Amino acid sequence: MTSSSDDLWRPADSGGRQEFWEGVHDSKDVDGVSWWQSVPGLSLGLVDSTGLRPDEPIIDVGAGWSTLVDHLLERGCRDLTAIDLSATALQTVRDRLGDAGRQVVLEVADVLDLHPSRRFALWHDRAVHHFLTEADERADYVASLERSLRPGGWLVVATFGPDGPTTCSGLPIVRFTHEELAAQFPGYRLVDTAGEEHETPWGSTQQFTAVLMRRPGGQDSRS
């Protein structure tokens, strides 16, 4: 696990994080951020491999402008939630989905202090966890995950890999190997690993590392 936090400014609390990410989404075009992709192939492949039924609840944390919910809707998924700190980003998603996505729940919320009213069958995170450069933040993330994911639920997390960028949007990040990323979720079973060389909208590449993990308990939805 490699951190790039030395001497770089970063938001210190939830209010600061919300202000920062609202500013990012308010000042840029959808394809003006490095993580943008029209088809989230890495994420979709891992979600598809779980074999979840279309009516199972899925949450995408730190969703931003991601098109994951669009593609899951096309696959027939009917119980989708996306959270982000930016109301601007979520409104863009709402407008993009239109009537087809009227049942999708889009909520302004902090992944480090998430208290959902129910639990989900799958937790998805692409490009949030690597911003958690402090141990206490990663502990808060896991606590939110534990409150949100039901026993037997699936976890998909994608971060910058060991050869990925050292900063993103001017913020420090932490880079992970597959083994290091899986170790962030003790007690969860590693089911699969994946990765990609993500091409940014301006043609550079970013290495992503991803894991598919399973929380103990519950029944296997694929049986």
Side-chain angles (χ1 to χ4, degrees):
M1 186 172 71
T2 305
S3 174
S4 59
S5 58
D6 293 346
D7 302 323
L8 285 175
W9 175 86
R10 59 193 305 279
D13 53 27
S14 182
R17 288 191 296 271
Q18 184 167 10
E19 181 179 4
F20 178 84
W21 289 112
E22 188 64 62
V24 168
H25 290 95
D26 192 47
S27 64
K28 295 181 181 291
D29 294 329
V30 169
D31 61 355
V33 291
S34 66
W35 58 85
W36 166 256
Q37 50 183 189
S38 58
V39 180
L42 176 65
S43 296
L44 287 170
L46 291 172
V47 173
D48 286 346
S49 71
T50 66
L52 285 175
R53 299 188 309 270
D55 60 342
E56 300 275 30
I58 295 173
I59 185 169
D60 185 14
V61 302
W65 286 316
S66 170
T67 62
L68 180 67
V69 292
D70 308 57
H71 289 278
L72 292 176
L73 278 173
E74 291 177 1
R75 282 162 164 74
C77 296
R78 301 190 294 272
D79 192 345
L80 300 172
T81 297
I83 69 165
D84 198 85
L85 284 168
S86 171
T88 297
L90 295 178
Q91 185 59 52
T92 299
V93 174
R94 176 65 70 201
D95 294 342
R96 188 181 70 214
L97 291 173
D99 288 343
R102 59 186 179 275
Q103 299 301 322
V104 176
V105 176
L106 302 175
E107 181 180 352
V108 175
D110 188 345
V111 71
L112 300 188
D113 189 27
L114 194 57
H115 296 266
S117 59
R118 60 176 181 146
R119 291 191 172 187
F120 296 88
L122 186 145
W123 169 291
H124 171 269
D125 163 16
R126 178 182 179 271
V128 173
H129 194 274
H130 58 222
F131 284 105
L132 310 180
T133 60
E134 305 301 317
D136 61 337
E137 293 173 332
R138 295 192 291 273
D140 288 343
Y141 179 103
V142 171
S144 289
L145 171 66
E146 293 285 294
R147 290 190 293 267
S148 304
L149 189 64
R150 71 189 187 190
W154 297 89
L155 171 66
V156 175
V157 179
T159 69
F160 286 146
D163 295 323
T166 57
T167 63
C168 186
S169 295
L171 296 180
I173 58 90
V174 184
R175 298 177 292 177
F176 296 88
T177 65
H178 289 118
E179 294 77 11
E180 291 166 343
L181 185 55
Q184 300 300 305
F185 308 101
Y188 285 61
R189 176 169 61 91
L190 179 62
V191 177
D192 199 4
T193 61
E196 68 177 350
E197 293 294 326
H198 165 63
E199 185 173 342
T200 69
W202 42 90
S204 61
T205 59
Q206 298 175 332
Q207 183 193 52
F208 271 82
T209 291
V211 295
L212 172 65
M213 306 189 73
R214 193 84 188 269
R215 185 175 186 177
Q219 296 181 342
D220 192 331
S221 64
R222 296 177 298 185
S223 61

